[in-house]
Amino acid sequence: MIISILSALSLGGFTGPAPAFHAVAFITDPLSHGVVGDNLLSLNEAIRLHNGTLTLSQLSASEQIQLSLLPSTGQTTDITWIEIDSEALPTITVEQDLDTIVNTTFGLFIRGGGGPAVIDFSGAGITRGLHSTSSNLVLQDLHFLGGPSGLELLQGDATGQPGCTLDGILFEDHSLFGLKVTGTQPNAIGRLIVSDCEFRNVSNAIEFDETAANRITIFEAHEVRITGADTGVELAVGTGGNARFTFDRVVIESSSVGIQLVAPATNGRPLLIEGDHTR
């Protein structure tokens, strides 16, 4: 299974450096949190393993066998890959807010194997979707459903990192926003790559806030479809640095704003905006 996943990633067309994979966690619990020490490995337990707030020794034997070292990456058990087999586990029900995915030197890749895996945020008491402070987060073949939001990321410096890279993600029925990325660190690089993604019935589909000063801003949207939104894409930049925004085969159906770019009236960031087959 690991070899086939590696092959799929190498052919996936991701832009930028790949995460430094060490160990894979295979999720088996249909509940987001479950119970540490039971027979099932949950999504939140895998996130905590990645963050270093949960250790291998705290898991039961049944949970431990869901972790696999990747070939030729040494003996570290840092969780850098979370795999959700959508055929065996089509939906994960979020019981409470998931732990924040923290920034690490090795990053995190989360994938739905066998097709998009649904992560359902529509339950009572859920205040957010997936939340992260990582500059190295890659998501593939996931379906974020319901709740206030799908993914919010506070990105420091993506220099030498993939930044936030999404491939084959469906955002659906979020009351506030689907995807929101905020650059937090001045004099750094912000990178958001959205490929083959869809936003359905989301108030604000994509928000990318790069108002911190002197950042190098990179935004790419390839084969993206937005329907049932109030605002399609909202972009903001600050002073200094430079920015490139690429729209490639993007379709936006919104009731208010399609694409909005906010920039300072004076001393603004130099911008390159390019588009192809975008409407």
Side-chain angles (χ1 to χ4, degrees):
M1 177 179 286
I2 291 174
I3 299 301
S4 65
I5 294 172
L6 286 170
S7 299
L9 180 65
S10 67
L11 297 173
F14 290 119
T15 302
F21 297 119
H22 298 148
V24 182
F26 296 94
I27 306 306
T28 56
D29 198 330
L31 299 178
S32 63
H33 287 66
V35 179
V36 175
D38 64 5
N39 294 323
L40 301 173
L41 186 67
S42 71
L43 175 59
N44 201 66
E45 288 166 349
I47 290 172
R48 291 182 61 195
L49 288 166
H50 166 81
N51 291 348
T53 58
L54 184 66
T55 64
L56 185 67
S57 62
Q58 292 175 271
L59 302 180
S60 68
S62 296
E63 290 172 321
Q64 289 183 18
I65 63 173
Q66 303 305 324
L67 308 180
S68 299
L69 293 176
L70 287 168
S72 304
T73 61
Q75 295 302 307
T76 176
T77 56
D78 293 328
I79 297 301
T80 56
W81 191 320
I82 296 176
E83 180 79 1
I84 305 169
D85 183 351
S86 61
E87 295 182 356
L89 196 66
T91 299
I92 293 177
T93 300
V94 178
E95 305 167 278
Q96 61 191 70
D97 289 344
L98 293 164
D99 282 30
T100 295
I101 299 169
V102 303
N103 192 38
T104 61
T105 57
F106 40 81
L108 184 62
F109 174 51
I110 305 177
R111 190 184 89 144
V118 177
I119 302 179
D120 187 351
F121 295 104
S122 63
I126 304 302
T127 66
R128 67 188 191 192
L130 203 64
H131 188 269
S132 178
T133 59
S134 178
S135 294
N136 186 347
L137 181 66
V138 179
L139 307 180
Q140 185 181 41
D141 291 340
L142 299 172
H143 179 180
F144 296 136
L145 178 64
S149 58
L151 169 63
E152 181 175 10
L153 189 142
L154 305 177
Q155 188 179 92
D157 187 4
T159 300
Q161 306 290 342
C164 179
T165 300
L166 310 181
D167 181 71
I169 309 299
L170 171 59
F171 297 83
E172 185 173 18
D173 294 339
H174 306 305
S175 60
L176 296 180
F177 58 83
L179 168 63
K180 183 176 183 179
V181 178
T182 303
T184 60
Q185 181 178 326
N187 305 299
I189 292 179
R191 180 180 285 112
L192 173 58
I193 311 295
V194 184
S195 178
D196 193 24
C197 292
E198 185 174 359
F199 298 78
R200 298 178 189 164
N201 302 319
V202 177
S203 180
N204 288 0
I206 301 173
E207 300 178 24
F208 191 26
D209 182 350
E210 282 281 294
T211 52
N214 300 312
R215 284 177 69 86
I216 297 174
T217 300
I218 301 167
F219 172 83
E220 297 180 19
H222 304 277
E223 295 195 18
V224 172
R225 183 173 181 85
I226 298 171
T227 56
D230 294 327
T231 300
V233 181
E234 185 174 344
L235 309 167
V237 297
T239 58
N242 59 74
R244 174 171 60 85
F245 299 102
T246 302
F247 295 89
D248 171 32
R249 292 160 291 171
V250 176
V251 176
I252 301 173
E253 298 176 8
S254 62
S255 61
S256 180
V257 177
I259 299 173
Q260 176 175 280
L261 175 59
V262 178
T266 59
N267 196 30
R269 185 165 302 165
L271 305 174
L272 171 64
I273 303 172
E274 55 187 355
D276 185 36
H277 298 288
T278 295
R279 60 184 179 89

